[in-house]
Short mmCIF file of all heavy atoms in Angstrom, two decimals:
data_model
loop_
_atom_site.label_atom_id
_atom_site.label_comp_id
_atom_site.label_asym_id
_atom_site.label_seq_id
_atom_site.Cartn_x
_atom_site.Cartn_y
_atom_site.Cartn_z
N ILE A 1340 24.41 30.74 -39.57
CA ILE A 1340 23.68 30.30 -38.39
C ILE A 1340 24.38 30.72 -37.13
O ILE A 1340 23.74 31.10 -36.13
CB ILE A 1340 23.53 28.75 -38.46
CG1 ILE A 1340 22.59 28.38 -39.63
CG2 ILE A 1340 23.01 28.19 -37.13
CD1 ILE A 1340 21.19 29.00 -39.51
N ALA A 1341 25.70 30.68 -37.15
CA ALA A 1341 26.43 31.03 -35.89
C ALA A 1341 26.26 32.50 -35.59
O ALA A 1341 26.10 32.88 -34.44
CB ALA A 1341 27.91 30.71 -36.10
N LEU A 1342 26.22 33.35 -36.60
CA LEU A 1342 26.05 34.80 -36.37
C LEU A 1342 24.62 35.08 -35.90
O LEU A 1342 24.37 35.99 -35.12
CB LEU A 1342 26.36 35.62 -37.60
CG LEU A 1342 27.84 35.75 -37.93
CD1 LEU A 1342 28.07 36.51 -39.25
CD2 LEU A 1342 28.61 36.44 -36.83
N LYS A 1343 23.68 34.30 -36.37
CA LYS A 1343 22.28 34.52 -35.94
C LYS A 1343 22.04 33.96 -34.57
O LYS A 1343 21.45 34.61 -33.73
CB LYS A 1343 21.30 33.86 -36.96
CG LYS A 1343 21.16 34.63 -38.25
CD LYS A 1343 19.91 34.25 -39.01
CE LYS A 1343 20.15 33.03 -39.85
NZ LYS A 1343 19.09 32.85 -40.89
N PHE A 1344 22.40 32.72 -34.38
CA PHE A 1344 21.97 32.00 -33.17
C PHE A 1344 23.10 31.54 -32.25
O PHE A 1344 22.86 31.00 -31.20
CB PHE A 1344 21.14 30.80 -33.56
CG PHE A 1344 19.92 31.06 -34.38
CD1 PHE A 1344 19.69 30.42 -35.60
CD2 PHE A 1344 19.03 32.07 -34.01
CE1 PHE A 1344 18.57 30.70 -36.37
CE2 PHE A 1344 17.92 32.32 -34.78
CZ PHE A 1344 17.69 31.65 -35.94
N GLY A 1345 24.35 31.62 -32.77
CA GLY A 1345 25.45 31.01 -32.03
C GLY A 1345 25.72 31.68 -30.70
O GLY A 1345 25.41 32.83 -30.50
N GLU A 1346 26.38 30.89 -29.84
CA GLU A 1346 26.83 31.41 -28.56
C GLU A 1346 27.86 32.48 -28.78
O GLU A 1346 28.60 32.49 -29.79
CB GLU A 1346 27.53 30.31 -27.81
CG GLU A 1346 26.71 29.38 -27.01
CD GLU A 1346 27.62 28.34 -26.38
OE1 GLU A 1346 28.26 28.68 -25.37
OE2 GLU A 1346 27.75 27.27 -26.94
N PHE A 1347 28.01 33.34 -27.82
CA PHE A 1347 29.08 34.34 -27.82
C PHE A 1347 30.18 33.82 -26.87
O PHE A 1347 29.90 33.51 -25.68
CB PHE A 1347 28.54 35.63 -27.29
CG PHE A 1347 29.54 36.78 -27.06
CD1 PHE A 1347 29.72 37.76 -28.01
CD2 PHE A 1347 30.26 36.82 -25.90
CE1 PHE A 1347 30.61 38.81 -27.79
CE2 PHE A 1347 31.15 37.87 -25.68
CZ PHE A 1347 31.35 38.84 -26.62
N ILE A 1348 31.39 33.68 -27.35
CA ILE A 1348 32.48 33.16 -26.53
C ILE A 1348 33.67 34.12 -26.65
O ILE A 1348 34.14 34.40 -27.72
CB ILE A 1348 32.91 31.73 -26.95
CG1 ILE A 1348 31.71 30.78 -26.79
CG2 ILE A 1348 34.12 31.24 -26.15
CD1 ILE A 1348 31.81 29.54 -27.58
N SER A 1349 34.08 34.64 -25.50
CA SER A 1349 35.13 35.68 -25.50
C SER A 1349 36.43 35.17 -26.04
O SER A 1349 36.80 34.01 -25.83
CB SER A 1349 35.37 36.12 -24.06
OG SER A 1349 34.20 36.65 -23.49
N TRP A 1350 37.10 36.04 -26.71
CA TRP A 1350 38.51 35.79 -27.09
C TRP A 1350 39.34 36.71 -26.19
O TRP A 1350 39.08 37.91 -26.11
CB TRP A 1350 38.77 36.17 -28.61
CG TRP A 1350 40.19 36.14 -28.97
CD1 TRP A 1350 40.99 35.04 -29.10
CD2 TRP A 1350 41.03 37.27 -29.23
NE1 TRP A 1350 42.23 35.41 -29.44
CE2 TRP A 1350 42.30 36.77 -29.56
CE3 TRP A 1350 40.80 38.63 -29.33
CZ2 TRP A 1350 43.37 37.60 -29.92
CZ3 TRP A 1350 41.85 39.48 -29.64
CH2 TRP A 1350 43.12 38.98 -29.95
N GLU A 1351 40.24 36.12 -25.44
CA GLU A 1351 40.99 36.86 -24.45
C GLU A 1351 41.95 37.79 -25.18
O GLU A 1351 42.79 37.35 -25.99
CB GLU A 1351 41.80 35.90 -23.57
CG GLU A 1351 40.92 34.94 -22.77
CD GLU A 1351 40.10 35.63 -21.69
OE1 GLU A 1351 40.57 36.68 -21.20
OE2 GLU A 1351 39.03 35.09 -21.35
N SER A 1352 41.88 39.07 -24.79
CA SER A 1352 42.81 40.06 -25.40
C SER A 1352 43.31 40.94 -24.30
O SER A 1352 42.51 41.35 -23.42
CB SER A 1352 42.08 40.84 -26.46
OG SER A 1352 42.82 41.98 -26.84
N ASP A 1353 44.57 41.28 -24.32
CA ASP A 1353 45.06 42.26 -23.36
C ASP A 1353 45.24 43.63 -24.04
O ASP A 1353 45.91 44.49 -23.50
CB ASP A 1353 46.34 41.77 -22.69
CG ASP A 1353 47.35 41.27 -23.70
OD1 ASP A 1353 47.13 41.56 -24.90
OD2 ASP A 1353 48.36 40.65 -23.28
N SER A 1354 44.65 43.73 -25.22
CA SER A 1354 44.77 44.98 -25.93
C SER A 1354 43.56 45.87 -25.66
O SER A 1354 42.45 45.39 -25.48
CB SER A 1354 44.83 44.67 -27.44
OG SER A 1354 44.46 45.78 -28.20
N SER A 1355 43.77 47.17 -25.66
CA SER A 1355 42.64 48.11 -25.44
C SER A 1355 41.92 48.42 -26.76
O SER A 1355 40.87 49.04 -26.73
CB SER A 1355 43.16 49.41 -24.81
OG SER A 1355 44.04 50.03 -25.69
N THR A 1356 42.53 48.03 -27.88
CA THR A 1356 41.88 48.33 -29.11
C THR A 1356 41.50 47.11 -29.94
O THR A 1356 40.60 47.16 -30.77
CB THR A 1356 42.81 49.19 -30.00
OG1 THR A 1356 44.01 48.45 -30.29
CG2 THR A 1356 43.17 50.51 -29.34
N LEU A 1357 42.17 45.97 -29.74
CA LEU A 1357 41.86 44.79 -30.49
C LEU A 1357 40.94 43.88 -29.65
O LEU A 1357 41.37 43.35 -28.63
CB LEU A 1357 43.14 44.06 -30.78
CG LEU A 1357 43.24 43.28 -32.11
CD1 LEU A 1357 42.88 44.16 -33.27
CD2 LEU A 1357 44.64 42.73 -32.28
N GLN A 1358 39.69 43.81 -30.05
CA GLN A 1358 38.70 43.10 -29.25
C GLN A 1358 37.99 42.04 -30.15
O GLN A 1358 37.59 42.40 -31.27
CB GLN A 1358 37.67 44.02 -28.69
CG GLN A 1358 38.29 45.03 -27.64
CD GLN A 1358 38.61 44.34 -26.31
OE1 GLN A 1358 37.79 43.58 -25.81
NE2 GLN A 1358 39.73 44.64 -25.80
N GLY A 1359 37.88 40.82 -29.67
CA GLY A 1359 37.28 39.78 -30.52
C GLY A 1359 36.49 38.79 -29.73
O GLY A 1359 36.48 38.77 -28.50
N PHE A 1360 35.80 37.97 -30.50
CA PHE A 1360 34.98 36.90 -29.87
C PHE A 1360 34.65 35.87 -30.93
O PHE A 1360 34.73 36.12 -32.11
CB PHE A 1360 33.69 37.48 -29.22
CG PHE A 1360 32.89 38.35 -30.14
CD1 PHE A 1360 31.96 37.83 -30.99
CD2 PHE A 1360 33.12 39.74 -30.17
CE1 PHE A 1360 31.18 38.65 -31.87
CE2 PHE A 1360 32.36 40.57 -31.01
CZ PHE A 1360 31.43 40.01 -31.86
N PHE A 1361 34.27 34.73 -30.41
CA PHE A 1361 33.80 33.66 -31.28
C PHE A 1361 32.27 33.64 -31.27
O PHE A 1361 31.64 34.01 -30.25
CB PHE A 1361 34.29 32.30 -30.81
CG PHE A 1361 35.80 32.19 -30.86
CD1 PHE A 1361 36.56 32.47 -29.75
CD2 PHE A 1361 36.43 31.75 -31.97
CE1 PHE A 1361 37.92 32.35 -29.77
CE2 PHE A 1361 37.85 31.67 -32.02
CZ PHE A 1361 38.57 31.96 -30.89
N ARG A 1362 31.67 33.17 -32.34
CA ARG A 1362 30.24 32.82 -32.32
C ARG A 1362 30.18 31.38 -32.77
O ARG A 1362 30.68 31.01 -33.82
CB ARG A 1362 29.47 33.71 -33.34
CG ARG A 1362 29.53 35.22 -33.04
CD ARG A 1362 28.74 35.60 -31.80
NE ARG A 1362 27.38 35.04 -31.79
CZ ARG A 1362 26.37 35.61 -32.45
NH1 ARG A 1362 26.55 36.74 -33.15
NH2 ARG A 1362 25.14 35.05 -32.44
N TYR A 1363 29.58 30.57 -31.89
CA TYR A 1363 29.59 29.17 -32.14
C TYR A 1363 28.19 28.57 -32.12
O TYR A 1363 27.48 28.75 -31.11
CB TYR A 1363 30.48 28.50 -31.09
CG TYR A 1363 30.51 26.98 -31.22
CD1 TYR A 1363 30.97 26.36 -32.37
CD2 TYR A 1363 30.18 26.19 -30.14
CE1 TYR A 1363 31.01 24.97 -32.49
CE2 TYR A 1363 30.20 24.77 -30.22
CZ TYR A 1363 30.63 24.19 -31.38
OH TYR A 1363 30.69 22.85 -31.47
N TYR A 1364 27.81 27.89 -33.15
CA TYR A 1364 26.50 27.21 -33.14
C TYR A 1364 26.72 25.72 -33.24
O TYR A 1364 27.48 25.23 -34.11
CB TYR A 1364 25.61 27.66 -34.29
CG TYR A 1364 24.33 26.78 -34.27
CD1 TYR A 1364 23.25 27.16 -33.46
CD2 TYR A 1364 24.23 25.63 -35.03
CE1 TYR A 1364 22.13 26.36 -33.42
CE2 TYR A 1364 23.08 24.82 -34.97
CZ TYR A 1364 22.03 25.21 -34.15
OH TYR A 1364 20.94 24.40 -34.11
N SER A 1365 26.15 24.98 -32.35
CA SER A 1365 26.12 23.55 -32.43
C SER A 1365 24.79 23.08 -31.89
O SER A 1365 24.36 23.46 -30.79
CB SER A 1365 27.27 22.99 -31.58
OG SER A 1365 26.88 21.86 -30.86
N GLY A 1366 24.04 22.35 -32.67
CA GLY A 1366 22.70 21.92 -32.28
C GLY A 1366 22.10 21.02 -33.31
O GLY A 1366 22.74 20.67 -34.30
N ASP A 1367 20.90 20.59 -33.03
CA ASP A 1367 20.25 19.58 -33.88
C ASP A 1367 19.67 20.17 -35.15
O ASP A 1367 19.56 19.54 -36.18
CB ASP A 1367 19.11 18.92 -33.12
CG ASP A 1367 19.61 18.19 -31.90
OD1 ASP A 1367 20.80 17.77 -31.91
OD2 ASP A 1367 18.83 18.04 -30.91
#
Side-chain angles (χ1 to χ4, degrees):
I1340 291 303
L1342 287 176
K1343 282 198 277 197
F1344 303 129
E1346 277 180 78
F1347 174 99
I1348 298 160
S1349 300
W1350 172 71
E1351 299 290 333
S1352 168
D1353 48 13
S1354 158
S1355 64
T1356 62
L1357 213 53
Q1358 295 285 317
F1360 51 87
F1361 298 93
R1362 298 290 310 278
Y1363 177 59
Y1364 175 85
S1365 138
D1367 299 333

